[in-house]
């Protein structure tokens, strides 16, 4: 990347643009500065159609307004974060902000101002780069460096929200009166402007509300989740096609292969891909992905594509690298499959959220007793949680714009709550026999199996969004054979 100019973005429009300390150009002549001001075509876009989710985001803002009458509500997108020196991590807008606006630009802030028993929403954004002061070509976040951004007028057409210059917001918030709530942790400048106007308790209530509001998905959201899953299915097929290349290199070939699908069809991966071969499959969040891929071992692939609207899939399959399970691998795999089948069957409206977890764990506990790894009765095993030595984690979680969606929700509204149509969750039991576990027969050690699917609660039961990927062991083998043949 070029290093001629300073990457720092001025905090205010009038702040001078600094030069990079070790840039090759010591400054800008008056003649060049004047030359760069003119000779540019008008690129303003007109007649833009609203984004697909505009009606849904408007309804979400209306519900938020009704929940907190008479209070100013501030929801930031967040800022760029430095990766190293003058390079930044790829920006991802805060979930709360994207959920309420559909916008994904850095430094944006949604503000709901109380008025006449409701609220007036305004979105504060960075406008087009300034051509008079040279920002567009001298500033590291100017559009000649990072690309064009929408004008405020364009943003209004796309989002259906009045837009203003975000560089004016901090001063306005500093002068604001009345009760204020802010979603913390995304924009330090906004938090500083509100420091004497907010309380941790009120801000947490806002965060909790926005987390719980996402529990039941609307039709747009379920459609986006299906898109994410469909792309993920294709990503898994991509991986199966190149397992021979992964054997010649490492787990990173698998990681890179899936990432290509995520970037081509979506925004990104929804979380760090777990490409765990052999004994690495017993590490729940193995994301180093630098290990060997060997014929005869299993590959535990836990990965999900994130759509352009930031909804993510979360799917896991455990695959025999050479295409065929050994007898012991199949026995363990089939136990996890049976456990998952019991869990999925328990997902239905009116059921307790934890019912699917309990159903899955019971099957695994029964298998562990049957195999002689635990002493029964099963009820005692479950009461003491003894199966957890090998099952380790909960059997699922809410899914949506965050891979672990709704995480800030109250316990009584989440794990102690009741399933409703429109909720989306994963069902993902597993068995993990660590390589150094002396309590199991040697042949078990280093085998890890997890099967995970994305399930939507429907009016009469559930729908498996990821049913396009086979789960039964014989079907997995047949599918892999077909995919490898092309």
């Amino acid at each position: 990347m070029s290093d001629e100019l300073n990457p720092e973005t001025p905090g205010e429009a009038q702040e001078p643009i600094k030069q990079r300390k070790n840039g090759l150009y010591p400054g800008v002549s008056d003649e060049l500065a004047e030359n760069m001001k003119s000779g540019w075509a008008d690129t303003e876009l007109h007649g833009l159609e609203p984004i697909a989710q505009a009606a849904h985001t408007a309804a979400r803002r209306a519900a938020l307004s009704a929940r907190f009458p008479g209070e100013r509500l501030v929801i930031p997108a967040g800022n760029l974060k430095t990766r190293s020196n003058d390079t930044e991590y790829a920006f991802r807008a805060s979930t709360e902000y994207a959920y309420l606006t559909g916008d994904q630009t850095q430094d944006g802030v949604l503000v709901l101002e109380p008025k006449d028993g409701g609220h007036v929403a305004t979105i504060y954004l960075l406008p087009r780069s300034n051509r008079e002061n040279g920002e567009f070509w001298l500033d590291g976040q100017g559009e000649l460096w990072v690309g064009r951004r929408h004008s405020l007028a364009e943003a209004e057409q796309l989002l259906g929200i009045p837009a203003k210059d975000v560089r004016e917001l901090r001063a306005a918030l500093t002068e604001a009166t009345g009760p204020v709530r802010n979603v913390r942790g995304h924009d330090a400048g906004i938090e500083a402007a509100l420091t004497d106007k907010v309380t941790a308790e009120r801000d947490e209530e806002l965060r909790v509300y926005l987390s719980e509001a996402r529990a039941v998905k609307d039709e747009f959201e379920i459609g986006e989740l299906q898109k994410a899953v469909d792309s993920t299915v294709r990503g898994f097929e991509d991986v199966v096609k190149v397992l021979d290349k992964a054997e010649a290199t490492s787990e990173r070939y698998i990681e890179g292969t899936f990432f290509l699908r995520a970037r081509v069809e979506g925004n990104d991966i929804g979380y760090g891909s777990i490409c765990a071969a052999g004994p690495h499959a017993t590490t729940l969040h193995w994301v180093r992905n630098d290990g060997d891929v060997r014929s005869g071992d299993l590959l535990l692939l836990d990965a999900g594509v994130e759509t352009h609207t930031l909804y993510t899939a979360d799917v896991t399959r455990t695959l025999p690298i050479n295409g065929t399970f050994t007898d012991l691998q199949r026995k363990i795999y089939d136990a996890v499959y049976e456990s998952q089948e019991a869990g999925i069957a328990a997902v239905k409206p009116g059921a307790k959220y934890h019912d699917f977890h309990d159903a899955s764990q019971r099957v695994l506990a029964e298998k562990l007793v049957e195999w002689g790894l635990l002493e029964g009765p099963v009820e005692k095993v479950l009461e003491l949680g003894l199966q957890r030595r090998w099952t380790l984690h909960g059997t699922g979680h809410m899914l949506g714009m965050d891979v672990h969606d709704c995480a800030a929700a109250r316990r009584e509204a989440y794990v102690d709550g009741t399933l409703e149509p429109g909720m989306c969750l994963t069902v993902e039991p597993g068995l993990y026999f660590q390589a150094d576990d002396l309590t199991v027969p040697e042949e078990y050690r280093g085998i890890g199996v997890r099967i995970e699917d994305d399930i939507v609660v429907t009016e009469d039961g559930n729908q498996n969004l990821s049913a396009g990927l086979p789960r039964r062991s014989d079907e997995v083998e047949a599918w892999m054979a077909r995919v490898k043949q092309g």
Side-chain angles (χ1 to χ4, degrees):
M1 61 188 293
S2 177
D3 69 348
E4 297 302 328
L5 300 170
N6 173 54
E8 298 177 25
T9 300
E12 302 293 338
Q14 71 273 15
E15 187 175 315
I17 298 168
K18 300 173 184 176
Q19 295 296 297
R20 185 188 295 273
K21 180 179 180 180
N22 286 305
L24 293 177
Y25 288 109
V28 176
S29 68
D30 291 343
E31 290 78 6
L32 177 58
E34 191 61 32
N35 175 276
M36 291 296 287
K37 291 180 182 179
S38 61
W40 306 100
D42 180 7
T43 60
E44 182 74 9
L45 304 176
H46 303 279
L48 297 175
E49 292 294 321
I51 59 174
Q53 66 267 47
H56 298 286
T57 56
R60 296 166 194 166
R61 293 192 299 274
L64 175 62
S65 171
R67 172 61 180 83
F68 297 104
E71 301 185 60
R72 180 177 286 102
L73 308 174
V74 182
I75 301 95
N79 316 124
L80 286 174
K81 291 181 172 61
T82 299
R83 181 182 185 274
S84 174
N85 188 24
D86 56 0
T87 61
E88 294 87 17
Y89 289 103
F91 179 73
R92 202 276 196 184
S94 75
T95 293
E96 296 88 351
Y97 174 85
Y99 177 75
L100 292 167
T101 67
D103 182 56
Q104 298 180 34
T105 56
Q106 68 203 51
D107 303 323
V109 184
L110 173 69
V111 178
L112 271 62
E113 297 278 354
K115 183 177 181 182
D116 299 332
H119 287 82
V120 174
T122 304
I123 193 165
Y124 289 82
L125 303 166
L126 285 170
R128 290 286 305 280
S129 294
N130 191 314
R131 303 221 169 194
E132 284 299 308
N133 70 357
E135 175 194 352
F136 78 110
W137 73 287
L138 290 173
D139 187 85
Q141 293 301 314
E143 63 185 42
L144 292 196
W145 287 89
V146 298
R148 184 188 189 277
R149 55 183 176 249
H150 285 297
S151 70
L152 298 182
E154 291 168 356
E156 289 184 351
Q157 296 173 65
L158 291 167
L159 305 175
I161 313 171
K164 293 184 180 179
D165 190 335
V166 71
R167 292 172 294 191
E168 303 169 357
L169 180 58
R170 291 185 196 175
L173 291 176
T174 301
E175 300 298 322
T177 59
V180 182
R181 295 179 190 259
N182 174 49
V183 177
R184 299 189 183 195
H186 302 300
D187 193 317
I190 295 298
E191 290 181 26
L194 294 171
T195 186
D196 60 342
K197 307 176 192 303
V198 296
T199 68
E201 182 180 10
R202 288 207 307 269
D203 287 355
E204 181 63 11
E205 286 176 353
L206 174 59
R207 188 171 80 104
V208 167
Y209 168 80
L210 289 172
S211 194
E212 294 179 7
R214 299 198 307 276
V216 175
K217 271 61 180 177
D218 58 38
E219 65 271 21
F220 174 84
E221 294 180 287
I222 293 173
E224 289 301 294
L225 286 168
Q226 186 66 71
K227 288 180 187 176
V229 169
D230 291 346
S231 290
T232 298
V233 169
R234 290 187 283 273
F236 275 63
E237 292 172 346
D238 295 339
V239 167
V240 170
K241 291 175 183 176
V242 301
L243 282 176
D244 57 335
K245 294 183 173 63
E247 287 187 59
T249 52
S250 77
E251 295 162 339
R252 293 204 171 169
Y253 205 98
I254 295 167
E255 177 184 348
T257 298
F258 186 84
F259 181 69
L260 177 62
R261 178 67 65 173
R263 287 293 281 166
V264 167
E265 294 193 2
N267 176 60
D268 206 333
I269 49 175
Y271 54 95
S273 298
I274 298 167
C275 307
H280 289 162
T282 66
T283 300
L284 298 185
H285 287 170
W286 177 260
V287 292
R288 299 178 200 171
N289 299 335
D290 58 1
D292 293 331
V293 179
R294 299 186 182 93
S295 179
D297 284 347
L298 296 176
L299 167 68
L300 190 157
L301 178 58
D302 183 338
V305 172
E306 177 186 75
T307 66
H308 294 292
T309 56
L310 306 185
Y311 289 84
T312 185
D314 182 7
V315 177
T316 306
R317 289 293 183 269
T318 304
L319 310 173
I321 292 168
N322 64 11
T324 304
F325 291 100
T326 67
D327 289 344
L328 179 59
Q329 289 169 351
R330 189 184 305 275
K331 181 177 85 165
I332 295 170
Y333 183 95
D334 288 349
V336 175
Y337 171 75
E338 186 178 330
S339 167
Q340 194 202 26
E341 283 283 272
I344 292 174
V347 176
K348 52 190 174 183
K352 292 295 184 183
Y353 176 86
H354 56 72
D355 284 353
F356 76 94
H357 169 72
D358 295 343
S360 289
Q361 289 292 298
R362 174 171 292 276
V363 171
L364 294 179
E366 289 170 350
K367 295 296 183 182
L368 292 165
V369 170
E370 176 187 324
W371 298 341
L373 302 183
L374 285 173
E375 183 178 344
V378 170
E379 292 297 339
K380 189 67 172 180
V381 169
L382 292 168
E383 179 186 348
L384 298 176
L386 299 180
Q387 82 284 358
R388 292 182 61 186
R389 181 182 179 100
W390 301 290
T391 67
L392 293 175
H393 55 80
T395 311
H397 51 80
M398 291 287 193
L399 182 69
M401 297 184 81
D402 291 336
V403 65
H404 293 160
D405 210 25
C406 312
R410 295 165 298 159
R411 187 173 180 87
E412 59 266 30
Y414 192 158
V415 294
D416 292 337
T418 301
L419 295 179
E420 301 176 40
M423 289 182 171
C424 183
L425 61 145
T426 66
V427 179
E428 51 173 314
L431 281 174
Y432 313 92
F433 298 103
Q434 305 301 319
D436 59 350
D437 188 348
L438 301 181
T439 69
V440 300
E442 185 176 358
E443 62 267 25
Y444 282 70
R445 299 172 197 166
I447 295 178
V449 174
R450 180 164 66 250
I451 312 171
E452 178 181 19
D453 284 87
D454 300 344
I455 311 296
V456 173
V457 183
T458 61
E459 294 289 344
D460 57 357
N462 68 68
Q463 176 188 358
N464 184 349
L465 297 180
S466 44
L469 277 178
R471 292 184 293 124
R472 210 173 65 197
S473 58
D474 59 335
E475 293 176 344
V476 167
E477 291 172 331
W479 167 74
M480 291 182 68
R482 288 195 307 272
V483 170
K484 286 180 177 179
Q485 289 173 359

